[in-house]
Structures are given as C-alpha cells and as structure tokens.
C-alpha cells in the first residue's frame, strides 16, 4: 500500500558505544559511505555523521549519528553524546569476551542514565571472523532478550547486516 498521506520524515539521534577497536567507526563508514577501512584510526572524542534512509511506506529516517571514542580516557565524555539520544547502539567484537563485558557495562549505564524510552540495540560485529569467535550467538541473543534489546551480528568488512541494523532500528521508532 502506498499512502502518501502516511509518509513521515523522522530525525533520530543515535549514539554508538563500545570498547575501542570493536568496529564502531567502520560500521558507520560502511552504512554512510559503503566503504571499509582496514586501517581505521581510533576515534578521538567523537565524530558525527548523518545518513537518511527511506522505508517501504515512504517514511524517511535521518539518522544523526554520534560515533564515540571507545578508549577508556574518553569514557567521561560519553554522557554528552548519549544524553537525549533516541537510540543507543552498543557494539562488541565477537572475537573478544572483554568487549562483550564492556558492552554489558554500557547497557547498564544507559539503563540508569539514558532517556527512559531509549531504544537499545546490541551489535556483535566482526561476524566475518568466525574462526576466532569467543562470544556465541546464543550469549548475545540471551543477554539482549533479558534486557529488552534488539540484537544483530554484523560485519563492517563484508557489509553483512549493516543496512539491516539501521532498518530494524527504524522499524522500532515510535
Ligand atoms: P575506537 O574509535 O577506538 O572506539 O574504535 P572503533 O570501535 O571505532 O573501531 P574501528 O571501527 O576503528 O575498527 C577497529 C579495527 O577493527 C580496524 O582495524 C578495522 O579495520 C577492524 N574492523 C572493524 N570492523 C570489522 C569487521 O567487521 N571485520 C573485521 N575483520 N575487522 C573489522
Ligand atoms: Mg572509532
């Protein structure tokens, strides 16, 4: 059905959080520019990019994306970026149990200090590195379910599930 009267233009503040090196900047680069950078530099402070997608009902969603720095020295800045965010995407690396523990830390922090109606997405990135996997799909799924989050595994390298991640978030917007 194509009802132009139902179409909307949404603007959404989205923040990416997670350990340094899990691939946050690569996910954004893949989503916004369709590229992958194997020599991606660590983010300093945070970087901002935006990207608009169209949904099937002709609603457009403009994601205003804050890609935060995962290094510990920047942790105190995080509230500046997640404050007022409608969506938080919390990323870990499926080859790193430490990064999965860090993701859980961010979930708790957002549950305490994020907007009460924030949409939380849990992302297991680097799904192309199956042979080095340390965090099972089940671990990710169960943790996300317990915490009322949306869960997906992605690869910024192969582009697997990157568009799907943002489309699924868009579907969950009020
Ligand atoms: P900070 O900015 O320090 O918080 O790190 P980050 O989470 O932004 O990590 P970044 O995107 O810079 O990626 C870190 C490293 O992981 C880079 O060498 C990337 O090329 C690599 N990388 C990112 N995503 C993937 C992926 O899906 N698969 C593989 N194999 N490597 C990836
Ligand atoms: Mg980065």
């Amino acid at each position: 059905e194509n009802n132009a009267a139902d179409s909307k233009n949404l603007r959404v503040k989205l923040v990416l959080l997670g350990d340094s090196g899990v691939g946050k900047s690569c996910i954004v680069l893949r989503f916004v520019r369709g590229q992958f950078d194997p020599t991606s530099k660590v983010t300093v402070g945070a970087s901002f990019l935006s990207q608009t997608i169209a949904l099937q009902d002709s609603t457009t969603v403009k994601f205003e994306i804050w890609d935060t720095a995962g290094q510990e020295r920047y942790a105190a800045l995080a509230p500046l970026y997640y404050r007022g965010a409608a969506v938080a995407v919390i990323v870990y690396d499926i080859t790193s149990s430490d990064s999965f523990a860090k993701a859980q830390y961010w979930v708790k922090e957002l549950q305490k200090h994020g907007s009460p109606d924030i949409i939380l997405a849990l992302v297991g990135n680097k799904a192309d590195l199956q042979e080095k996997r340390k965090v099972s799909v089940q671990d990710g799924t169960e943790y996300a379910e317990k915490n009322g989050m949306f869960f997906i595994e992605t690869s910024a390298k192969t582009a697997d599930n990157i568009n799907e991640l943002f489309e699924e978030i868009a579907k969950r917007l009020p």
Side-chain angles (χ1 to χ4, degrees):
E1 198 180 67
N2 183 7
N3 186 346
D6 286 346
S7 66
K8 300 181 279 185
N9 300 305
L10 303 174
R11 238 182 56 191
V12 176
K13 180 179 171 183
L14 180 151
V15 63
L16 281 124
L17 295 160
D19 223 349
S20 181
V22 298
K24 297 178 299 297
S25 297
C26 287
I27 289 170
V28 177
L29 186 70
R30 173 60 80 185
F31 175 56
V32 174
R33 302 229 178 86
Q35 297 168 354
F36 176 68
D37 179 5
T39 64
S40 179
K41 303 282 180 304
V42 301
T43 302
V44 173
S47 77
F48 178 82
L49 285 105
S50 75
Q51 172 73 318
T52 302
I53 64 169
L55 303 183
Q56 280 179 345
D57 64 356
S58 80
T59 297
T60 66
V61 180
K62 181 181 185 188
F63 287 106
E64 298 179 336
I65 303 169
W66 287 99
D67 170 23
T68 66
Q71 288 185 333
E72 200 53 44
R73 73 182 79 159
Y74 301 112
L77 297 177
L80 297 176
Y81 302 106
Y82 68 65
R83 197 169 292 145
V87 181
V89 175
I90 296 168
V91 184
Y92 65 92
D93 169 352
I94 67 153
T95 74
S96 160
S97 301
D98 284 354
S99 77
F100 186 54
K102 193 62 191 265
Q104 298 179 23
Y105 161 85
W106 283 119
V107 172
K108 289 185 192 107
E109 168 112 0
L110 270 289
Q111 286 170 342
K112 263 190 248 161
H113 302 296
S115 311
D117 51 358
I118 195 165
I119 295 169
L120 296 179
L122 181 66
V123 174
N125 189 44
K126 308 198 187 182
D128 56 290
L129 299 177
Q130 286 300 329
E131 69 286 356
K132 293 187 179 165
R133 178 189 285 278
K134 296 277 161 45
V135 184
S136 69
V137 176
Q138 193 183 347
D139 287 343
T141 307
E142 281 179 2
Y143 183 78
E145 267 175 19
K146 257 187 230 154
N147 288 278
M149 305 172 77
F150 162 64
F151 173 66
I152 195 166
E153 286 196 351
T154 60
S155 170
K157 184 174 180 181
T158 66
D160 197 34
N161 274 348
I162 298 293
N163 288 337
E164 288 79 357
L165 164 64
F166 290 90
E167 286 161 9
E168 287 299 325
I169 289 167
K171 285 185 201 161
R172 286 167 171 75
L173 296 171

